[in-house]
Structures are given as structure tokens and as C-alpha cells.
Amino acid sequence: MDAGPDLAALAGAVGDATRIRMLELLMEGRSLVAKELAFGTGVSPATATVHLKRLEQARLIRSTRQGRNKVFRLATPTVARMVEALMTVAVRGPRASATPEPLRAARYCYDHLAGRLGMGITDALLREGHLSLRRHAFALTPSGEGWFEAFGIDLAPLRDQRRQFAHRCLDWSERRDHLAGALGAALASRVFSLGWVERQPDSRGLVVTSAGQRGLRRHFGAL
């Protein structure tokens, strides 16, 4: 019999409270050093190093050098989708309402927008006919091509990326799909560069600025 994927090894890698919390912290989409991950998970730097080695061996995270520091980030967007899916399964019933309001309102899901903000933008793009639904993805319509280009997003490089172009990502707090993939990441990057959202310290949560409230209302209507 052919050996299938080693799910037991994967379960072992993520089936630890400290390691899954590290993956959650890296869902911000930023690279973090071991000390930051140790602080965020409440363990010693030495213990954090052991856990990070286990995650790296499982190919869930990768590390690079930035000067004298070694920084860690999620290995691929697929890992981010796995973590988001686990959150979706874990947050059910009464626990769903216990999700902190800032995270429900607006947050990063790895490198794209989630929460009510991400869903509101996705709904607006669908409502205006700039996106359409496919079975496992969104499709960009002709009007959407023009809209994204006018919004300052160059679509050609996005299509050359190896990742999915307009992935449907299940939002664990809203229980519906928001825009992810290369297009979702580019949209989030553009919104951030316009100064419409700001990161909350030590959190995936985002704050919509005054300029963002005006810009989002102008381009996407009431969110």
C-alpha cells in the first residue's frame, strides 16, 4: 500500500499549546524573532527555541537571517489556511461570541483582511459585480479588472505568482468566505499603504483610521 500524507506527524507538530500559539502569532503575517515568540507564548527563550525547531522540521515555519537576528514566519499561505481552518473548527457555539471584539471587527488573516472588515469589502466587491463566485475561488470579472487597476493594484504580477489568485478563505469569526490569495494580499497591502488601517500592538487586530473610514465608505459603501 502506498504511504499517504503523514497526518500523525503533522498532528504531533501542531498538537501542543505553545506551538499552536506560535502559529497564531505568526498569522499576523510578520516575521518574528524567537524572543518575541517566547514572550507571546509565555515560555523561556530556550523552550521557545525547541518548539520553533519542531515547527521548522515539520515545514510549518521557515527562518531567515536579518542581520544578527534569526526571524521566523509561516512557511506558506497553505499553512495559514490550515491554522485558520483549525480556528473555524475550534470556535463554535458560545465560544464564538467570546472572540475578542477587535479581532471580530478587523484583523489580518496571514496577509489579507478578515473579520467584519474583510467580509464587508468582499461583499461589496461581489455586490458591485467586480468578483463572482466559483466553487473554490472567486473570479475577477471584466469590471473588476478595471476597478482593481484604478485602485492602484497591478494585476499582471499577481497572476504570475505560484499561489492561488483569488482564494476563498473561510472566516472563522464570520463563518463565511472572504477574499484571500494573491489578490486578497495585494488589496490588504494597498489599504495599509493608504493609511486606512493600522496594526494593533501584539495582535492580529487592525484599527480603521479616520482616513480609512472615509476611504472605505467611498470605495465600498457601508461596511
Side-chain angles (χ1 to χ4, degrees), residues 38-158:
F39 177 79
T41 53
V43 300
S44 69
T47 300
T49 298
V50 174
H51 286 298
L52 289 167
K53 184 177 180 180
R54 178 73 180 275
L55 290 172
E56 199 162 14
Q57 288 173 339
R59 299 180 181 179
L60 296 173
I61 64 173
R62 58 183 174 86
S63 62
T64 55
R65 284 283 177 184
Q66 289 186 3
R68 299 178 61 183
N69 293 319
K70 190 176 185 180
V71 297
F72 299 86
R73 65 182 299 115
L74 296 183
T76 65
T78 301
V79 177
R81 292 199 294 272
M82 178 196 73
V83 176
E84 191 78 5
L86 289 173
M87 291 177 178
T88 303
V89 173
V91 180
R92 291 182 176 179
R95 293 199 62 185
S97 60
T99 303
E101 175 57 27
L103 288 184
R104 293 181 66 91
R107 66 179 183 273
Y108 272 120
C109 175
Y110 184 53
D111 60 0
H112 56 272
L113 300 173
R116 289 195 296 272
L117 174 62
M119 282 306 319
I121 289 175
T122 301
D123 287 344
L125 292 170
L126 287 166
R127 185 171 61 247
E128 295 300 320
H130 301 324
L131 292 178
S132 63
L133 289 172
R134 296 292 184 269
R135 184 175 181 183
H136 297 297
F138 294 103
L140 193 58
T141 65
S143 70
E145 298 260 355
W147 187 92
F148 276 91
E149 292 284 355
F151 194 60
I153 295 175
D154 187 359
L155 297 173
L158 305 182

Side-chain angles (χ1 to χ4, degrees), residues 5-18:
D6 194 345
L7 295 179
L10 176 62
V14 301
D16 176 273
T18 297

